[in-house]
Amino acid sequence: LTPMLGVVVGQRTGIAPGLEGSVTYKRLSFSSSAEYVFDVSDRSNNFFYAWPQLTYAPVDWLRVGIAAQHTKIYNTKLNTDYGPEISFSHKRLYFTTYVLNPNDPIVILELGASF
């Protein structure tokens, strides 16, 4: 578990405390990150965000699984989008594709590096 604290600037101004964690057993992994954004100027802009993922790595360079995106804006119902994810890695680089809400797709492409 890793606590996080962010500063928000732009259309909203505030702070964003959060928590990130993961559990791995052999080739199966569950991870999640969550944060709550407190807008210091307008409470109606506060929101909660969580990103849980469950993946399986059949080989060292490939991960497949399911991801979800939970968002809850102040005074509204929780919204959840979920769908498959696939990730390829080579040395310290990785590329992940998420397709959330398959009926009305939200495609997220992620390129990253580990240090």
Side-chain angles (χ1 to χ4, degrees):
L1 292 176
T2 304
M4 302 180 295
L5 182 61
V7 176
V8 179
V9 293
Q11 290 181 341
R12 291 177 172 81
T13 303
I15 60 168
L19 187 64
E20 193 173 66
S22 65
V23 176
T24 301
Y25 177 73
K26 297 186 180 182
R27 295 191 171 271
L28 190 64
S29 180
F30 174 77
S31 65
S32 186
S33 58
E35 67 182 6
Y36 193 89
V37 175
F38 293 94
D39 188 316
V40 296
S41 61
D42 185 355
R43 179 174 140 166
S44 68
N45 286 332
N46 292 358
F47 69 92
F48 170 77
Y49 178 84
W51 186 271
Q53 298 171 271
L54 179 64
T55 60
Y56 176 74
V59 291
D60 290 341
W61 54 270
L62 174 67
R63 273 190 356 219
V64 294
I66 187 166
Q69 172 180 263
H70 304 292
T71 52
K72 182 167 182 351
I73 299 171
Y74 177 77
N75 214 16
T76 65
K77 290 173 41 178
L78 179 68
N79 181 44
T80 300
D81 295 304
Y82 60 90
E85 75 171 87
I86 186 166
S87 183
F88 303 94
S89 63
H90 178 70
K91 297 184 181 179
R92 294 178 177 235
L93 299 176
Y94 64 89
F95 176 75
T96 306
T97 301
Y98 304 91
V99 181
L100 303 179
N101 194 15
N103 296 329
D104 187 14
I106 301 167
V107 178
I108 301 167
L109 305 175
E110 178 181 359
L111 177 62
S114 59
F115 297 95

